[in-house]
Amino acid sequence: MNELRRWLTPMVLLLLVLAAVETYLRLAAVPSYIFPQPSAVFSELFRSFPGLAGHALTTVVETVAGLAIGVCAGVVLALLIVVSRTVERALYPLIIATQMVPVFAIAPLLVVWFGYGIWSKAATAALLVFFPVTVGMVDGLRSPTEDQRDLLRSLQASRRQTLRLLELPASVPALFSGLKVGVTLGVVGATIGEWIGAQRGLGFVMVQANALLRLERVFAAIVLLTAVGLLLFGLVRIIEKKVLARRG
Amino acid sequence: MRTSLTFAGVSKSFPSPRGRMVVLDGLSLEVDAGGWTSLVGPSGCGKTTLAKIAAGILTADAGQVLVGGMGVERSRTVAYMPQHDTLLPWRSALENAILSADVDGRSRAQARSEARQLFVRFGLGGFEEQRPSTLSGGMRQRVALIRTFLTRRDILVLDEPFGALDALTRAGLQQWLSKIWMELGHTVLFITHDVEEAVLLSDRVAVCSSLPGRIRTEVQVMLPRPRSRVSAEVTAYRASLLETLAAGAIS
Ligand SMILES: Nc1ncnc2c1ncn2[C@@H]1O[C@H](COP(=O)(O)OP(=O)(O)OP(=O)(O)O)[C@@H](O)[C@H]1O
Ligand SMILES: [Mg+2]
């Protein structure tokens, strides 16, 4: 019931906005190659759904692959940073630098290096995903209180044991926060990868439809992309709730 | 399993906005092997600091801490119960109690079964699988005490272990701890604000001065156990210790 309510309000708002846009576009007779009517977008979505769903699946696979790589890289980097001050000083500027370079500048290189298949898109996604995961994980690993560290010190726990018994478990909430930001960035990364060079995926659909001035198809792809993002985000939230509830 | 704990001229200072603040100034204290020494003193006189030095968490600037005549570092002979329970929120009460088994690589199954028995004795039966956040302050403190016991070390350094308990639970646990101590013969350094508690439990009470911390007086409590808090002797010891504390507070 509550769940329904939570979804109902944004849905109603969305429908109202769409209705207003539709009315305006019809009254002002805006041509569809400038701005397609919502009804045209949805009819395109339903008409081409099987094909579009296949493209969406490709984007999902790329995103999930990028997410997996990005999260692993993020966790490993965070561990290195936390364990060694030297590594921290050496790595942190480089890690921040990777986020200063626009993805659009790097994505073509990634296509050259990793080919037109899913791996160049996964790499683009991973490049965006690893950053929030690293930063979040570092904070998480550093979150134990001085009292908690003292307790492990009094037991003469080794560095490794402190990591395993204290720092890693303490960083689980931070990992999920990083993951939630990472999911949305992963979808963006995969799509950008597809714009640069691909034969499949929602990004590819957008580029192609754009060139043909079929804007209702571009918007249909955007709608599906949003759905994909929300779906993955929701999935992470469900896992997060389950895990955090079990830890208490 | 009897080991003495000796502080010989221990000094410790911390950096503070107005230069270094001397917290312990050449403090000497002897906790006999198998003996129970309580440390009472005004808040902020460095009791917790001393406990942390004994536990190997802090190192003294000068002086020595000896365990059975040897240096305390890495000796794995001191079990430390921090002033705040410091339970790990992601572990169940029982899992918190067996933390030392994970560090020392002992069998978890055996540690769990030992912990279960202690939970029942501490009136925590049925709460084993609960998270610390769902326990009361007093229950959390008892879990921390069980955790300290299960470290299986000869020397117990307990920093105000009964601070968060109601009078009734407190009296029960005092009796229980006293009994266990007579059975097992741990060496105990017991930190408390409560002079009566110190008299009831210890065979020596040390009073520390306010900053910088030093031992002002040591009193041997030579009374048979179990002791009653309403007995004339206990009351007399209590009164004289309170007087000493009050004198220190004025000067
Ligand atoms: N890590 C630290 N850095 C700076 N000052 C500290 C630190 N730890 C303790 N102190 C200072 O040392 C003094 C003694 O602290 P300590 O915790 O040992 O007192 P205590 O006797 O245990 O007090 P209480 O009875 O209130 O627990 C205090 O003035 C405190 O501010
Ligand atoms: Mg204290």
Coordinates of all heavy atoms in Angstrom, one line a residue, chain B residues 115-204:
Chain B
A115 N 30.4 -19.0 25.3 CA 29.7 -17.8 25.4 C 28.2 -18.0 25.8 O 27.7 -17.2 26.6 CB 29.8 -17.0 24.1
R116 N 27.6 -19.0 25.2 CA 26.2 -19.3 25.6 C 26.0 -19.5 27.0 O 25.1 -19.0 27.6 CB 25.7 -20.5 24.8 CG 25.2 -20.2 23.4 CD 24.7 -21.5 22.7 NE 24.8 -21.2 21.3 CZ 24.0 -20.4 20.6 NH1 23.1 -19.8 21.3 NH2 24.2 -20.2 19.3
Q117 N 26.9 -20.2 27.7 CA 26.8 -20.5 29.1 C 26.9 -19.2 29.9 O 26.2 -18.9 30.8 CB 27.9 -21.4 29.5 CG 27.7 -22.9 29.0 CD 28.9 -23.7 29.3 OE1 29.8 -23.4 30.0 NE2 28.9 -24.9 28.7
L118 N 27.9 -18.3 29.5 CA 28.1 -17.1 30.2 C 26.9 -16.2 30.0 O 26.5 -15.4 30.9 CB 29.3 -16.4 29.7 CG 30.6 -17.0 30.2 CD1 31.8 -16.3 29.6 CD2 30.7 -16.9 31.7
F119 N 26.3 -16.2 28.8 CA 25.1 -15.4 28.6 C 24.0 -15.7 29.6 O 23.3 -14.9 30.1 CB 24.6 -15.6 27.1 CG 25.1 -14.6 26.1 CD1 26.4 -14.5 25.9 CD2 24.3 -13.7 25.5 CE1 27.0 -13.6 25.0 CE2 24.8 -12.7 24.6 CZ 26.1 -12.7 24.4
V120 N 23.8 -17.0 29.8 CA 22.8 -17.5 30.8 C 23.1 -17.0 32.2 O 22.3 -16.4 32.9 CB 22.6 -19.0 30.7 CG1 21.7 -19.5 31.8 CG2 22.1 -19.5 29.4
R121 N 24.4 -17.1 32.6 CA 24.8 -16.7 33.9 C 24.6 -15.2 34.1 O 24.4 -14.7 35.2 CB 26.3 -17.0 34.1 CG 26.5 -18.5 34.5 CD 27.9 -18.8 34.8 NE 28.2 -18.5 36.2 CZ 29.2 -19.0 36.8 NH1 30.1 -19.8 36.1 NH2 29.5 -18.8 38.1
F122 N 24.8 -14.4 33.0 CA 24.7 -13.0 33.1 C 23.3 -12.5 32.8 O 23.0 -11.3 32.7 CB 25.6 -12.3 32.0 CG 27.0 -12.1 32.5 CD1 27.8 -13.2 32.6 CD2 27.5 -10.9 32.7 CE1 29.1 -13.1 33.1 CE2 28.8 -10.7 33.1 CZ 29.6 -11.8 33.3
G123 N 22.3 -13.4 32.8 CA 20.9 -13.0 32.6 C 20.7 -12.5 31.2 O 19.8 -11.6 30.9
L124 N 21.5 -13.0 30.2 CA 21.3 -12.6 28.8 C 20.8 -13.7 27.9 O 20.8 -13.6 26.7 CB 22.6 -12.0 28.3 CG 23.1 -10.7 28.8 CD1 24.5 -10.5 28.3 CD2 22.2 -9.6 28.4
G125 N 20.4 -14.8 28.6 CA 19.9 -15.9 27.8 C 18.7 -15.5 26.9 O 17.8 -14.8 27.4
G126 N 18.7 -15.9 25.6 CA 17.7 -15.6 24.7 C 18.0 -14.3 23.9 O 17.4 -14.0 22.9
F127 N 19.1 -13.6 24.3 CA 19.4 -12.4 23.6 C 20.7 -12.6 22.7 O 21.2 -11.6 22.1 CB 19.7 -11.2 24.6 CG 18.5 -10.8 25.3 CD1 18.2 -11.2 26.5 CD2 17.6 -9.9 24.7 CE1 17.0 -10.8 27.2 CE2 16.4 -9.5 25.3 CZ 16.2 -9.9 26.6
E128 N 21.1 -13.8 22.6 CA 22.4 -14.1 21.9 C 22.4 -13.6 20.5 O 23.4 -13.1 20.0 CB 22.6 -15.6 21.8 CG 23.0 -16.3 23.2 CD 21.7 -16.7 23.9 OE1 20.6 -16.3 23.5 OE2 21.9 -17.4 25.0
E129 N 21.3 -13.7 19.7 CA 21.3 -13.4 18.3 C 20.9 -11.9 18.0 O 20.8 -11.5 16.9 CB 20.4 -14.4 17.5 CG 20.9 -15.8 17.6 CD 22.4 -16.0 17.3 OE1 22.9 -15.3 16.4 OE2 23.0 -16.8 18.0
Q130 N 20.6 -11.2 19.1 CA 20.2 -9.8 18.9 C 21.4 -8.9 18.5 O 22.5 -9.2 18.9 CB 19.5 -9.3 20.1 CG 18.2 -10.0 20.4 CD 17.2 -9.1 21.0 OE1 17.3 -7.9 21.0 NE2 16.1 -9.7 21.5
R131 N 21.1 -7.8 17.8 CA 22.1 -6.9 17.5 C 22.3 -5.9 18.7 O 21.3 -5.6 19.4 CB 21.7 -6.0 16.3 CG 21.4 -6.8 15.0 CD 22.6 -7.4 14.4 NE 22.3 -8.6 13.8 CZ 23.2 -9.4 13.2 NH1 24.5 -9.1 13.2 NH2 22.8 -10.6 12.7
P132 N 23.5 -5.4 18.9 CA 23.8 -4.5 20.0 C 22.8 -3.3 20.0 O 22.4 -2.9 21.1 CB 25.2 -4.0 19.7 CG 25.8 -5.1 19.0 CD 24.8 -5.7 18.1
S133 N 22.4 -2.8 18.9 CA 21.5 -1.7 18.9 C 20.2 -2.0 19.5 O 19.4 -1.0 19.8 CB 21.3 -1.2 17.4 OG 20.8 -2.2 16.6
T134 N 19.8 -3.3 19.6 CA 18.5 -3.6 20.2 C 18.6 -4.0 21.7 O 17.7 -4.4 22.2 CB 17.9 -4.8 19.4 OG1 18.6 -5.9 19.7 CG2 17.8 -4.5 17.9
L135 N 19.8 -3.8 22.2 CA 20.0 -4.1 23.7 C 20.1 -2.8 24.5 O 20.5 -1.8 24.0 CB 21.3 -4.9 23.9 CG 21.5 -6.2 23.1 CD1 22.8 -6.8 23.4 CD2 20.4 -7.2 23.6
S136 N 19.8 -2.9 25.8 CA 19.9 -1.8 26.7 C 21.3 -1.5 27.0 O 22.2 -2.4 26.8 CB 19.1 -2.0 27.9 OG 19.8 -3.0 28.8
G137 N 21.6 -0.4 27.6 CA 23.0 0.0 27.9 C 23.6 -1.0 28.9 O 24.7 -1.5 28.7
G138 N 22.8 -1.5 29.9 CA 23.3 -2.4 30.8 C 23.6 -3.8 30.2 O 24.6 -4.5 30.5
M139 N 22.7 -4.2 29.3 CA 22.9 -5.5 28.6 C 24.2 -5.4 27.7 O 25.0 -6.4 27.7 CB 21.7 -5.8 27.7 CG 20.4 -6.1 28.5 SD 19.0 -6.0 27.5 CE 18.8 -7.7 27.1
R140 N 24.4 -4.3 27.1 CA 25.5 -4.1 26.2 C 26.8 -4.3 27.1 O 27.8 -4.9 26.7 CB 25.5 -2.8 25.5 CG 24.4 -2.7 24.5 CD 24.2 -1.2 24.1 NE 25.4 -0.7 23.5 CZ 25.6 -0.5 22.2 NH1 24.6 -0.8 21.4 NH2 26.7 0.0 21.7
Q141 N 26.8 -3.7 28.3 CA 28.0 -3.7 29.1 C 28.3 -5.1 29.6 O 29.4 -5.5 29.6 CB 27.7 -2.8 30.3 CG 29.0 -2.0 30.7 CD 28.7 -0.9 31.6 OE1 27.7 -0.8 32.3 NE2 29.6 0.0 31.7
R142 N 27.2 -5.9 29.8 CA 27.4 -7.3 30.2 C 28.0 -8.1 29.0 O 28.9 -8.9 29.2 CB 26.1 -7.9 30.6 CG 25.8 -7.6 32.1 CD 24.4 -8.1 32.5 NE 23.4 -7.2 32.2 CZ 22.1 -7.5 32.2 NH1 21.7 -8.7 32.5 NH2 21.2 -6.6 31.9
V143 N 27.5 -7.8 27.8 CA 28.1 -8.5 26.7 C 29.6 -8.2 26.6 O 30.4 -9.0 26.3 CB 27.4 -8.1 25.3 CG1 28.1 -8.7 24.1 CG2 25.9 -8.5 25.4
A144 N 29.9 -6.9 26.8 CA 31.3 -6.5 26.7 C 32.2 -7.2 27.8 O 33.3 -7.6 27.6 CB 31.5 -5.0 26.9
L145 N 31.5 -7.4 29.0 CA 32.2 -8.1 30.1 C 32.5 -9.6 29.7 O 33.6 -10.1 29.9 CB 31.4 -8.0 31.4 CG 32.1 -8.5 32.6 CD1 33.4 -7.8 32.9 CD2 31.2 -8.3 33.8
I146 N 31.5 -10.2 29.1 CA 31.7 -11.6 28.6 C 32.8 -11.6 27.6 O 33.6 -12.5 27.6 CB 30.3 -12.1 28.0 CG1 29.3 -12.1 29.1 CG2 30.5 -13.5 27.5 CD1 27.9 -12.5 28.6
R147 N 32.8 -10.7 26.7 CA 33.8 -10.6 25.7 C 35.2 -10.5 26.3 O 36.1 -11.2 25.9 CB 33.6 -9.4 24.8 CG 34.6 -9.2 23.7 CD 34.4 -7.9 22.9 NE 34.6 -6.8 23.8 CZ 34.1 -5.5 23.5 NH1 33.4 -5.3 22.4 NH2 34.3 -4.6 24.4
T148 N 35.3 -9.7 27.4 CA 36.6 -9.6 28.1 C 37.0 -10.9 28.7 O 38.1 -11.3 28.6 CB 36.5 -8.5 29.2 OG1 35.8 -7.4 28.6 CG2 37.9 -8.1 29.6
F149 N 36.0 -11.6 29.3 CA 36.3 -12.9 29.9 C 36.8 -13.9 28.9 O 37.7 -14.7 29.2 CB 35.1 -13.4 30.7 CG 35.2 -13.3 32.1 CD1 34.7 -12.2 32.7 CD2 35.9 -14.2 32.9 CE1 34.8 -12.0 34.1 CE2 36.0 -14.0 34.2 CZ 35.5 -12.9 34.9
L150 N 36.1 -13.9 27.8 CA 36.4 -14.9 26.8 C 37.8 -14.7 26.0 O 38.2 -15.5 25.2 CB 35.3 -15.0 25.7 CG 34.0 -15.6 26.3 CD1 32.9 -15.6 25.2 CD2 34.2 -17.1 26.8
T151 N 38.4 -13.6 26.3 CA 39.8 -13.4 25.7 C 40.8 -14.4 26.3 O 41.9 -14.5 25.8 CB 40.3 -12.0 25.9 OG1 40.2 -11.7 27.3 CG2 39.6 -11.0 25.1
R152 N 40.4 -15.0 27.4 CA 41.3 -16.0 28.1 C 42.7 -15.5 28.4 O 43.7 -16.1 28.1 CB 41.5 -17.2 27.1 CG 40.2 -17.9 26.8 CD 40.6 -19.2 26.3 NE 39.5 -20.1 26.2 CZ 39.6 -21.3 25.6 NH1 40.8 -21.6 25.1 NH2 38.6 -22.0 25.5
R153 N 42.7 -14.3 29.0 CA 44.0 -13.8 29.4 C 44.1 -13.7 30.9 O 43.0 -13.6 31.5 CB 44.2 -12.4 28.7 CG 43.9 -12.5 27.2 CD 44.8 -11.6 26.5 NE 44.6 -11.8 25.0 CZ 44.9 -10.9 24.1 NH1 45.3 -9.8 24.4 NH2 44.7 -11.3 22.8
D154 N 45.3 -13.7 31.4 CA 45.4 -13.8 32.9 C 45.0 -12.5 33.6 O 44.5 -12.5 34.7 CB 46.9 -14.0 33.2 CG 47.4 -15.3 32.6 OD1 46.6 -16.0 32.0 OD2 48.6 -15.6 32.6
I155 N 45.3 -11.4 32.9 CA 45.0 -10.1 33.6 C 43.8 -9.4 33.0 O 43.7 -9.3 31.8 CB 46.3 -9.2 33.5 CG1 47.5 -9.9 34.0 CG2 46.0 -7.9 34.1 CD1 48.8 -9.1 33.8
L156 N 42.9 -9.0 33.9 CA 41.7 -8.3 33.4 C 41.9 -6.8 33.8 O 42.1 -6.5 35.0 CB 40.5 -8.8 34.0 CG 40.1 -10.3 33.9 CD1 38.8 -10.6 34.6 CD2 40.1 -10.7 32.4
V157 N 41.8 -5.9 32.8 CA 41.8 -4.5 33.1 C 40.4 -4.0 32.7 O 40.0 -4.0 31.5 CB 42.8 -3.8 32.2 CG1 42.7 -2.3 32.4 CG2 44.2 -4.2 32.6
L158 N 39.6 -3.7 33.8 CA 38.2 -3.4 33.6 C 38.0 -1.9 33.9 O 38.1 -1.4 35.0 CB 37.3 -4.2 34.5 CG 37.6 -5.7 34.5 CD1 36.8 -6.5 35.5 CD2 37.3 -6.3 33.1
D159 N 37.6 -1.1 32.8 CA 37.4 0.3 33.0 C 35.9 0.6 33.2 O 35.1 0.6 32.3 CB 37.9 1.0 31.7 CG 38.1 2.5 32.0 OD1 37.7 3.0 33.0 OD2 38.6 3.2 31.1
E160 N 35.6 0.8 34.5 CA 34.2 1.1 34.9 C 33.2 0.1 34.3 O 32.3 0.5 33.6 CB 33.8 2.5 34.6 CG 34.8 3.5 35.2 CD 34.3 4.9 35.3 OE1 33.1 5.1 35.4 OE2 35.1 5.8 35.4
P161 N 33.4 -1.2 34.5 CA 32.5 -2.2 33.8 C 31.1 -2.1 34.2 O 30.2 -2.5 33.4 CB 33.1 -3.5 34.3 CG 33.8 -3.2 35.6 CD 34.3 -1.8 35.5
F162 N 30.7 -1.6 35.4 CA 29.4 -1.6 35.8 C 28.8 -0.2 35.8 O 27.7 0.1 36.4 CB 29.2 -2.1 37.3 CG 29.8 -3.5 37.4 CD1 30.4 -3.9 38.5 CD2 29.6 -4.4 36.3 CE1 30.9 -5.2 38.6 CE2 30.1 -5.7 36.4 CZ 30.8 -6.1 37.6
G163 N 29.4 0.7 35.1 CA 29.0 2.1 35.1 C 27.5 2.3 34.6 O 26.9 3.2 35.1
A164 N 27.1 1.5 33.6 CA 25.8 1.8 33.1 C 24.7 0.9 33.6 O 23.6 0.8 33.0 CB 25.9 1.6 31.5
L165 N 24.9 0.3 34.8 CA 24.0 -0.7 35.3 C 23.1 -0.1 36.4 O 23.6 0.8 37.2 CB 24.7 -1.9 35.8 CG 25.5 -2.7 34.8 CD1 26.2 -3.8 35.5 CD2 24.6 -3.2 33.7
D166 N 21.9 -0.6 36.5 CA 21.1 -0.2 37.7 C 21.6 -0.9 38.9 O 22.3 -1.9 38.9 CB 19.6 -0.6 37.4 CG 19.5 -2.1 37.4 OD1 19.9 -2.7 36.3 OD2 19.1 -2.7 38.3
A167 N 21.2 -0.4 40.1 CA 21.8 -0.8 41.4 C 21.7 -2.3 41.6 O 22.6 -3.0 42.1 CB 21.2 -0.1 42.6
L168 N 20.5 -2.8 41.2 CA 20.2 -4.3 41.4 C 21.1 -5.2 40.5 O 21.8 -6.1 41.0 CB 18.7 -4.5 41.1 CG 18.0 -5.5 42.0 CD1 18.0 -5.0 43.4 CD2 16.6 -5.8 41.5
T169 N 21.1 -4.9 39.3 CA 21.9 -5.7 38.3 C 23.4 -5.6 38.7 O 24.2 -6.5 38.7 CB 21.8 -5.2 36.9 OG1 20.4 -4.9 36.7 CG2 22.3 -6.2 35.9
R170 N 23.8 -4.4 39.1 CA 25.1 -4.1 39.5 C 25.5 -4.9 40.7 O 26.6 -5.6 40.7 CB 25.2 -2.6 39.9 CG 26.5 -2.0 40.0 CD 26.4 -0.5 40.3 NE 27.7 0.0 40.6 CZ 28.2 1.0 39.9 NH1 27.5 1.6 38.9 NH2 29.4 1.5 40.1
A171 N 24.7 -5.0 41.7 CA 25.0 -5.8 42.9 C 25.1 -7.3 42.5 O 26.1 -8.0 42.9 CB 23.9 -5.6 44.0
G172 N 24.2 -7.7 41.7 CA 24.3 -9.1 41.2 C 25.6 -9.4 40.5 O 26.3 -10.4 40.8
L173 N 26.0 -8.5 39.6 CA 27.2 -8.8 38.8 C 28.5 -8.6 39.6 O 29.4 -9.4 39.4 CB 27.2 -7.8 37.6 CG 26.4 -8.2 36.4 CD1 26.5 -7.2 35.3 CD2 26.7 -9.6 35.9
Q174 N 28.4 -7.8 40.6 CA 29.6 -7.6 41.5 C 29.8 -9.0 42.2 O 30.9 -9.5 42.3 CB 29.3 -6.5 42.6 CG 29.4 -5.1 42.0 CD 28.9 -4.1 43.0 OE1 28.3 -4.4 44.0 NE2 29.1 -2.8 42.6
Q175 N 28.7 -9.5 42.7 CA 28.8 -10.8 43.4 C 29.4 -11.9 42.5 O 30.3 -12.6 42.8 CB 27.4 -11.3 43.9 CG 27.2 -10.8 45.4 CD 25.8 -11.2 45.8 OE1 25.1 -12.1 45.2 NE2 25.3 -10.5 46.8
W176 N 28.8 -11.9 41.3 CA 29.1 -12.9 40.3 C 30.6 -12.8 40.0 O 31.4 -13.8 40.0 CB 28.3 -12.8 39.1 CG 28.6 -13.8 38.1 CD1 28.1 -15.0 38.0 CD2 29.6 -13.6 37.0 NE1 28.7 -15.7 37.0 CE2 29.6 -14.8 36.4 CE3 30.4 -12.6 36.6 CZ2 30.4 -15.0 35.3 CZ3 31.2 -12.8 35.5 CH2 31.2 -14.0 34.9
L177 N 31.0 -11.5 39.7 CA 32.4 -11.3 39.3 C 33.4 -11.7 40.4 O 34.4 -12.3 40.2 CB 32.6 -9.9 38.9 CG 33.9 -9.5 38.1 CD1 34.0 -10.3 36.8 CD2 34.0 -8.0 37.8
S178 N 33.0 -11.4 41.6 CA 33.8 -11.7 42.8 C 34.0 -13.2 42.9 O 35.1 -13.7 43.2 CB 33.2 -11.1 44.0 OG 34.0 -11.2 45.1
K179 N 32.9 -13.9 42.7 CA 32.9 -15.4 42.8 C 33.8 -16.0 41.8 O 34.7 -16.8 42.1 CB 31.5 -15.9 42.7 CG 31.3 -17.2 43.4 CD 29.8 -17.6 43.4 CE 29.6 -18.9 42.7 NZ 28.4 -19.0 41.9
I180 N 33.6 -15.6 40.5 CA 34.4 -16.1 39.4 C 35.9 -15.8 39.7 O 36.8 -16.6 39.5 CB 34.0 -15.4 38.1 CG1 32.7 -15.9 37.6 CG2 35.1 -15.5 37.0 CD1 32.8 -17.2 36.9
W181 N 36.2 -14.6 40.2 CA 37.6 -14.2 40.5 C 38.2 -15.1 41.5 O 39.3 -15.6 41.4 CB 37.6 -12.8 40.9 CG 38.9 -12.3 41.4 CD1 40.0 -12.1 40.7 CD2 39.3 -12.1 42.8 NE1 41.1 -11.7 41.5 CE2 40.6 -11.7 42.8 CE3 38.6 -12.1 44.0 CZ2 41.3 -11.4 44.0 CZ3 39.3 -11.8 45.2 CH2 40.6 -11.4 45.1
M182 N 37.4 -15.5 42.6 CA 37.9 -16.4 43.6 C 38.2 -17.8 43.0 O 39.1 -18.4 43.4 CB 37.0 -16.4 44.8 CG 37.1 -15.2 45.7 SD 36.2 -15.3 47.2 CE 34.6 -14.9 46.7
E183 N 37.3 -18.2 42.1 CA 37.5 -19.5 41.4 C 38.7 -19.5 40.5 O 39.6 -20.4 40.6 CB 36.3 -19.9 40.6 CG 35.1 -20.4 41.3 CD 33.9 -20.5 40.4 OE1 34.1 -20.6 39.2 OE2 32.8 -20.4 41.0
L184 N 38.8 -18.5 39.6 CA 39.8 -18.6 38.6 C 41.1 -17.8 38.9 O 42.1 -18.1 38.3 CB 39.2 -18.0 37.3 CG 37.9 -18.7 36.7 CD1 37.4 -18.0 35.5 CD2 38.3 -20.1 36.4
G185 N 41.0 -16.9 39.8 CA 42.2 -16.2 40.2 C 42.9 -15.3 39.2 O 44.1 -15.3 39.1
H186 N 42.0 -14.6 38.4 CA 42.6 -13.6 37.5 C 43.3 -12.5 38.3 O 42.9 -12.3 39.5 CB 41.5 -12.9 36.7 CG 40.9 -13.8 35.6 ND1 39.8 -14.5 35.7 CD2 41.4 -14.0 34.3 CE1 39.5 -15.1 34.6 NE2 40.5 -14.9 33.7
T187 N 44.2 -11.9 37.7 CA 44.8 -10.6 38.2 C 43.9 -9.5 37.7 O 43.7 -9.4 36.5 CB 46.2 -10.4 37.8 OG1 47.0 -11.6 38.2 CG2 46.8 -9.2 38.3
V188 N 43.3 -8.7 38.6 CA 42.3 -7.7 38.2 C 42.8 -6.3 38.5 O 43.1 -6.0 39.7 CB 40.9 -8.0 38.8 CG1 39.9 -6.9 38.4 CG2 40.4 -9.4 38.4
L189 N 42.7 -5.4 37.5 CA 42.8 -4.0 37.8 C 41.5 -3.4 37.4 O 41.0 -3.5 36.3 CB 43.9 -3.3 36.9 CG 44.0 -1.8 37.0 CD1 44.2 -1.3 38.4 CD2 45.0 -1.2 36.0
F190 N 40.8 -2.9 38.4 CA 39.4 -2.5 38.3 C 39.3 -1.0 38.5 O 39.6 -0.5 39.6 CB 38.6 -3.3 39.4 CG 37.1 -3.2 39.4 CD1 36.4 -4.1 38.6 CD2 36.4 -2.2 40.1 CE1 35.0 -4.1 38.6 CE2 35.1 -2.2 40.0 CZ 34.4 -3.1 39.3
I191 N 38.8 -0.4 37.5 CA 38.6 1.1 37.6 C 37.2 1.5 37.9 O 36.3 0.9 37.2 CB 39.1 1.8 36.3 CG1 40.6 1.5 36.2 CG2 38.8 3.2 36.2 CD1 41.1 1.8 34.8
T192 N 37.0 2.3 38.8 CA 35.6 2.7 39.2 C 35.5 4.1 39.8 O 36.5 4.6 40.3 CB 35.0 1.6 40.2 OG1 33.7 2.0 40.5 CG2 35.8 1.5 41.4
H193 N 34.3 4.6 39.7 CA 34.0 5.9 40.4 C 33.5 5.6 41.8 O 33.4 6.5 42.7 CB 32.9 6.6 39.7 CG 33.5 7.5 38.6 ND1 33.0 7.5 37.3 CD2 34.5 8.4 38.7 CE1 33.7 8.4 36.6 NE2 34.6 9.0 37.4
D194 N 33.0 4.3 42.0 CA 32.2 4.0 43.2 C 33.1 3.4 44.3 O 33.5 2.3 44.2 CB 31.1 3.0 42.7 CG 30.2 2.6 43.8 OD1 30.5 2.9 44.9 OD2 29.1 2.0 43.4
V195 N 33.3 4.2 45.3 CA 34.2 3.8 46.4 C 33.6 2.5 47.1 O 34.4 1.6 47.4 CB 34.3 4.9 47.4 CG1 35.1 4.5 48.6 CG2 35.0 6.1 46.8
E196 N 32.3 2.4 47.3 CA 31.7 1.3 48.0 C 32.0 0.0 47.2 O 32.4 -1.0 47.7 CB 30.2 1.5 48.1 CG 29.5 0.3 48.8 CD 28.0 0.6 48.9 OE1 27.4 0.3 47.9 OE2 27.6 1.0 49.9
E197 N 31.8 0.1 45.9 CA 32.1 -1.0 45.0 C 33.6 -1.5 45.1 O 33.9 -2.7 45.2 CB 31.8 -0.6 43.5 CG 32.1 -1.7 42.5 CD 31.6 -1.2 41.1 OE1 32.3 -0.4 40.4 OE2 30.5 -1.6 40.7
A198 N 34.5 -0.5 45.2 CA 35.9 -0.8 45.3 C 36.1 -1.5 46.6 O 36.9 -2.5 46.6 CB 36.7 0.5 45.3
V199 N 35.5 -1.1 47.7 CA 35.8 -1.7 49.0 C 35.2 -3.1 49.0 O 35.8 -4.1 49.5 CB 35.1 -0.9 50.1 CG1 35.2 -1.6 51.5 CG2 35.8 0.5 50.2
L200 N 34.0 -3.3 48.4 CA 33.4 -4.6 48.4 C 34.2 -5.7 47.6 O 34.2 -6.8 48.0 CB 32.0 -4.5 47.7 CG 30.9 -4.0 48.6 CD1 29.6 -3.8 47.8 CD2 30.6 -5.0 49.7
L201 N 34.9 -5.2 46.6 CA 35.5 -6.2 45.6 C 37.0 -6.4 45.8 O 37.5 -7.5 45.5 CB 35.2 -5.8 44.2 CG 33.7 -5.8 43.8 CD1 33.5 -5.2 42.4 CD2 33.1 -7.2 43.9
S202 N 37.7 -5.4 46.2 CA 39.2 -5.4 46.1 C 39.9 -5.9 47.3 O 39.4 -5.9 48.4 CB 39.7 -4.1 45.7 OG 38.7 -3.2 45.4
D203 N 41.2 -6.3 47.1 CA 42.0 -6.4 48.3 C 43.0 -5.2 48.4 O 43.7 -5.1 49.4 CB 42.7 -7.8 48.3 CG 43.2 -8.2 47.0 OD1 43.7 -7.4 46.2 OD2 43.1 -9.4 46.7
R204 N 42.9 -4.4 47.4 CA 43.7 -3.1 47.5 C 43.0 -2.0 46.8 O 42.5 -2.3 45.6 CB 45.1 -3.3 47.0 CG 45.9 -2.0 47.2 CD 47.3 -2.1 46.5 NE 48.2 -3.0 47.1 CZ 49.2 -3.5 46.4 NH1 49.4 -3.2 45.1 NH2 50.0 -4.4 47.0

